[in-house]
Amino acid sequence: MMTSRSIVATVVAAFLCISANALVPNAHTNVPTRRDVLGQAASSFLAPLVIGTLPANALEGCGRASHNCIRTAWVAPSSITTPEGVAQTIRDVLNTYPQKGQAGVDCNGWKIVNDALESDAAIITLEFKSCVGPAALAINLGQPFIDDLKLEIGKDASDKFKVNVLSKSRMGSTDVSVNRKRLIYLGNQLKEKGWSVPDPKYPYEMSP
């Protein structure tokens, strides 16, 4: 993060650089006014600070080498032709997930934080609470870790409905495959309904 001193230095440097260029006009350009010079300096300073925003209705990604975050997509069968049909299937599958967890993960349950599948956002957000093992006892005061699952309705290149998926741990540099096990369970339920579901992989497992 830039300090106040470094911000001032950046503004001054940009101003001096543009001012110097402005003092050497050529035969084919008009001499810039003081307002022009100040405007260019401000633009040069502010441009590096502008952070790109995500497109509307887009999930964030995972870190390039992440061991505790999975980003994938599930594609609906062609028999599902409306977003309402997608939303209903997703809710039905989520409701099959055991509140006591499965495969040794999510022992402390889960809840829906926000269900906006049928709004313009087309997204549902859930929280899952981990089992309390040695790691939780050692670094989280004996409290379960919390993971976030976000599912967003969209369409693929062939105009089929799909669900963009983000399953991510809030703490730690690794999740001992918790996010993978969660997505395998949900993905298997969808496969039984004819969905196309790839094996969930962490970014570090992807080919460069």
Side-chain angles (χ1 to χ4, degrees):
M1 182 174 293
M2 299 180 71
T3 64
S4 298
R5 182 175 297 176
S6 60
I7 290 175
V8 172
T10 303
V11 173
V12 172
F15 176 79
L16 291 177
C17 178
I18 295 173
S19 297
N21 292 333
L23 293 175
V24 188
N26 58 52
H28 304 286
T29 59
N30 294 323
V31 177
T33 65
R34 183 186 304 175
R35 179 177 297 176
D36 294 331
V37 172
L38 289 173
Q40 292 177 42
S43 298
S44 297
F45 166 64
L46 292 174
L49 300 182
V50 174
I51 299 174
T53 57
L54 290 170
N57 301 336
L59 299 182
E60 64 268 28
C62 300
R64 183 177 299 177
S66 176
H67 287 61
N68 67 353
C69 177
I70 295 178
R71 182 81 153 76
T72 187
W74 302 327
V75 180
S78 56
S79 58
I80 297 181
T81 58
T82 65
E84 292 79 13
V86 178
Q88 186 58 56
T89 302
I90 291 302
R91 292 191 185 103
D92 290 345
V93 166
L94 289 172
N95 284 329
T96 70
Y97 200 87
Q99 277 293 339
K100 293 185 178 180
Q102 51 81 39
V105 304
D106 301 327
C107 304
N108 281 287
W110 60 274
K111 67 178 181 179
I112 295 174
V113 176
N114 182 42
D115 184 348
L117 283 174
E118 293 172 350
S119 72
D120 290 341
I123 189 171
I124 187 169
T125 304
L126 304 95
E127 285 182 359
F128 290 77
K129 292 185 178 181
S130 74
C131 308
V132 178
L137 291 170
I139 66 175
N140 205 35
L141 301 177
Q143 298 299 309
F145 295 109
I146 296 178
D147 294 349
D148 297 301
L149 175 64
K150 297 180 181 181
L151 307 174
E152 173 200 59
I153 298 174
K155 284 194 172 183
D156 68 5
S158 62
D159 209 36
K160 284 186 177 181
F161 281 104
K162 69 173 181 177
V163 172
N164 296 312
V165 180
L166 177 71
S167 189
K168 185 176 183 179
S169 301
R170 293 185 186 179
M171 290 183 63
S173 58
T174 183
D175 68 354
V176 293
S177 292
V178 169
N179 287 287
R180 190 200 307 273
K181 291 177 180 179
R182 181 182 306 122
L183 294 185
I184 286 175
Y185 179 95
L186 296 172
N188 285 341
Q189 307 304 308
L190 287 171
K191 286 179 181 179
E192 293 180 2
K193 298 177 181 293
W195 286 57
S196 176
V197 178
D199 293 335
K201 292 184 178 181
Y202 295 91
Y204 77 93
E205 298 173 313
M206 307 288 191
S207 300

